Amino acid sequence: MRLPCADRQHVVLSQLFKHIHGRLHDRMNTVLREHNVNPVSFSALTMLYSSPDSVLNPSDLADSTGESRANVTRICDELVSRGLLSREPNAEDRRRIDLRLAPDGAALVEALLPTLQLRVHSTYNVLNAKEKEQLERLMKKVLGALDQ
């Protein structure tokens, strides 16, 4: 029994998403491995890099990376031990701890971004500006449907 055309297309779209994600992930992992960084740690570093004053609290970092708080704690322990970030008491509430990107962490992000652009993000150069905007809009629409 063959699937109806619409159902078949849904399967094809899901497989395309899977393959694109997998290949982009593999390319990114190759770059990150060269610097002894895993994708979750790099995500944490880039979230701190792009936040005001390069500071976030652990809960916000967990929310922004989509990782559990326990996993963020483990990742931060590793990044602190490598000198890439620090834990500091919050200036307004000393019971809270802030995570601050260390200079070596910022330098690592800045060193990795051009290589990632060349090996990973340049993949999107097969699309013109209008196609990129359309793809972004459509992907956000699909992502929004997943949240419903």
Side-chain angles (χ1 to χ4, degrees):
M1 178 172 125
R2 288 187 54 83
L3 291 172
C5 188
D7 291 341
R8 181 191 166 286
Q9 189 172 43
H10 294 168
V11 170
V12 169
L13 289 170
S14 293
Q15 289 301 310
L16 287 170
F17 272 119
K18 176 183 161 192
H19 287 289
I20 290 168
H21 173 267
R23 290 182 185 178
L24 288 172
H25 190 73
D26 289 347
R27 284 184 178 197
M28 182 191 284
N29 279 342
T30 299
V31 172
L32 296 179
R33 247 186 318 242
E34 293 170 3
H35 295 272
N36 196 28
V37 179
N38 67 54
V40 178
S41 294
F42 185 69
S43 179
L45 291 171
T46 57
M47 296 312 300
L48 283 158
Y49 184 82
S50 62
S51 68
D53 300 320
S54 297
V55 174
L56 284 173
N57 70 48
S59 297
D60 290 340
L61 185 59
D63 291 343
S64 65
T65 60
E67 296 293 324
S68 69
R69 291 196 167 114
N71 200 35
V72 164
T73 298
R74 183 190 60 76
I75 291 161
C76 290
D77 288 345
E78 174 203 339
L79 295 172
V80 166
S81 72
R82 291 182 59 187
L84 301 175
L85 66 86
S86 62
R87 287 187 174 99
E88 302 174 357
N90 181 280
E92 297 167 6
D93 183 350
R94 300 207 48 90
R95 295 171 295 174
R96 290 181 45 173
I97 296 293
D98 286 333
L99 303 168
R100 179 177 299 279
L101 187 64
D104 285 351
L108 179 60
V109 170
E110 290 168 357
L112 283 168
L113 288 176
T115 306
L116 287 169
Q117 175 61 33
L118 181 66
R119 294 198 213 163
V120 180
H121 303 136
S122 64
T123 303
Y124 297 106
N125 289 342
V126 299
L127 304 173
N128 65 38
K130 186 176 179 180
E131 290 170 328
K132 289 176 193 176
E133 289 172 14
Q134 183 180 20
L135 180 61
E136 180 182 349
R137 186 175 36 64
L138 292 171
M139 290 175 75
K140 285 178 178 177
K141 188 174 184 178
V142 171
L143 185 60
L146 291 171
D147 290 337
Q148 294 179 0

